[in-house]
Amino acid sequence: MKGFIEKVITPADKREAVFQLIEEAHCSVSKACKIVKLPRSSFQYTAKTKDDSQIEDALEGLVKKHPVIGFGKLLSTAQPWLWLES
């Protein structure tokens, strides 16, 4: 290296830069992604949120039913059958 640490730029930062290039410089998506060195698939990616509400409810029920047992112990012992309930 040249004696300095390069700044790590996250894909989210690059995605924001692509949006700015599209809006301000009127670039195409393809060209803006090439400039920023971000794959178009990463630019178009949207994160999918996972719904764990059923598992959370089951664990809360177990915690209320067995208040003496710690949450970690309940989670490790309940994991095999927790997935069968959902």
Side-chain angles (χ1 to χ4, degrees), residues 2 25 34 40 44 49 64 74 84:
K2 298 178 183 177
K34 281 182 184 178
R40 279 188 303 148
Q44 296 167 346
T49 57
K64 288 179 184 175
L74 279 176
L84 297 175

Side-chain angles (χ1 to χ4, degrees), residues 8-20:
V8 177
I9 299 174
T10 64
D13 294 335
K14 288 183 178 184
R15 195 174 299 116
E16 189 175 323
V18 169
F19 277 120
Q20 286 180 349

Side-chain angles (χ1 to χ4, degrees), residues 15-81:
R15 195 174 299 116
E16 189 175 323
V18 169
F19 277 120
Q20 286 180 349
L21 281 170
I22 292 169
E23 290 291 320
E24 296 172 9
H26 304 289
C27 287
S28 67
V29 173
S30 178
K31 190 170 189 172
C33 286
K34 281 182 184 178
I35 292 170
V36 178
K37 296 181 181 173
L38 177 73
R40 279 188 303 148
S41 60
S42 296
F43 173 72
Q44 296 167 346
Y45 176 77
T46 54
K48 298 174 185 111
T49 57
K50 195 173 180 183
D51 182 25
D52 290 335
S53 59
Q54 289 181 338
I55 295 170
E56 290 171 2
D57 292 341
L59 283 172
E60 285 177 11
L62 285 172
V63 169
K64 288 179 184 175
K65 190 174 182 181
H66 306 285
V68 181
I69 301 174
F71 182 80
K73 179 85 171 179
L74 279 176
L75 180 62
S76 65
T77 57
Q79 259 182 341
W81 60 267

